[in-house]
Amino acid sequence: ESWIQNTTVQNNILFFHKYDNDKYNKILNLCELKPDLDILVGGDLTEIGEKGVNLSGGQKARISIARAMYTDKDIFIFDDPISALDAHVGKNIMMNCIVNYLKNKTRILVTHALQYVSHADRIVYLHEGEIKWSGTYKELLVQPFYAEFINKINSYQDKKEANNNANN
């Protein structure tokens, strides 16, 4: 669950860091928040209610990702950050933010979105709380359980598309 403070959208992103207009706007664009801010009466100065009650799950997730990116730390830990996003936005956030913008940072990503494992330097496969395998994507390709990964990826993508089609 995304952690949101009862303050403005901007304050949730800046989180007591110095405002840098160029950096801030770049991150808003990368996190696909500009269209959301356009529909909010106060834009990024809109007050967010307790625990983000006036935001969707996807908006809360993207604000949390924007806050993490704005901090410019060396290590980032993401716990399934795109699970609340539709497939298209999730792909954009994953590629634009986590893979590209943070490319020179250490990123630890816990996810069920297996379609992104090819972008990982190192993959750790957990099953029922145990490390079952660890290695690179090239090493993963020759593992006997790789077919299971492919089936999970395809199943996940099919479910996401079905949900998107049902909601449209």
Side-chain angles (χ1 to χ4, degrees):
E1 187 175 321
S2 300
W3 180 71
I4 300 293
Q5 290 186 300
N6 187 13
T7 185
T8 66
V9 171
Q10 185 182 79
N11 286 342
N12 267 282
I13 294 170
L14 297 179
F15 199 63
F16 305 106
H17 288 86
K18 184 179 175 187
Y19 179 80
D20 176 326
N21 188 61
D22 292 339
K23 178 180 175 180
Y24 180 76
N25 282 299
K26 181 176 185 169
I27 288 171
L28 288 180
N29 284 323
L30 289 171
C31 292
E32 299 194 14
L33 286 165
K34 286 280 190 176
D36 298 287
L37 298 179
D38 290 342
I39 61 173
L40 294 174
V41 177
D44 66 347
L45 298 179
T46 299
E47 285 280 333
I48 298 175
E50 187 69 29
K51 297 182 182 178
V53 294
N54 51 338
L55 298 174
S56 72
Q59 289 168 325
K60 288 189 262 188
R62 288 180 287 125
I63 288 171
S64 293
I65 292 167
R67 177 176 50 244
M69 292 171 59
Y70 198 86
T71 65
D72 198 32
K73 299 294 182 187
D74 293 327
I75 300 172
F76 293 82
I77 301 173
F78 294 102
D79 184 4
D80 217 2
I82 62 169
S83 63
L85 306 176
D86 67 44
H88 173 74
V89 173
K91 179 180 180 183
N92 289 345
I93 296 295
M94 183 64 75
M95 299 309 298
N96 296 335
C97 299
I98 297 169
V99 172
N100 294 323
Y101 186 83
L102 298 173
K103 68 183 172 197
N104 295 319
K105 307 291 185 172
T106 299
R107 295 149 295 162
I108 299 169
L109 175 67
V110 177
T111 187
H112 291 94
L114 300 177
Q115 64 268 36
Y116 301 110
V117 297
S118 64
H119 298 286
D121 296 324
R122 192 112 189 113
I123 301 162
V124 178
Y125 174 45
L126 296 171
H127 183 72
E128 296 180 357
E130 286 185 46
I131 296 176
K132 296 293 185 179
W133 179 85
S134 175
T136 66
Y137 183 67
K138 270 186 164 179
E139 294 167 338
L140 174 65
L141 294 174
V142 297
Q143 294 301 309
F145 60 82
Y146 181 68
E148 178 187 343
F149 267 71
I150 293 301
N151 290 335
K152 284 183 180 181
I153 291 169
N154 292 335
S155 173
Y156 176 80
Q157 289 173 334
D158 291 345
K159 285 179 188 175
K160 277 284 216 184
E161 285 181 26
N163 286 339
N164 287 339
N165 291 336
N167 291 332
N168 290 333

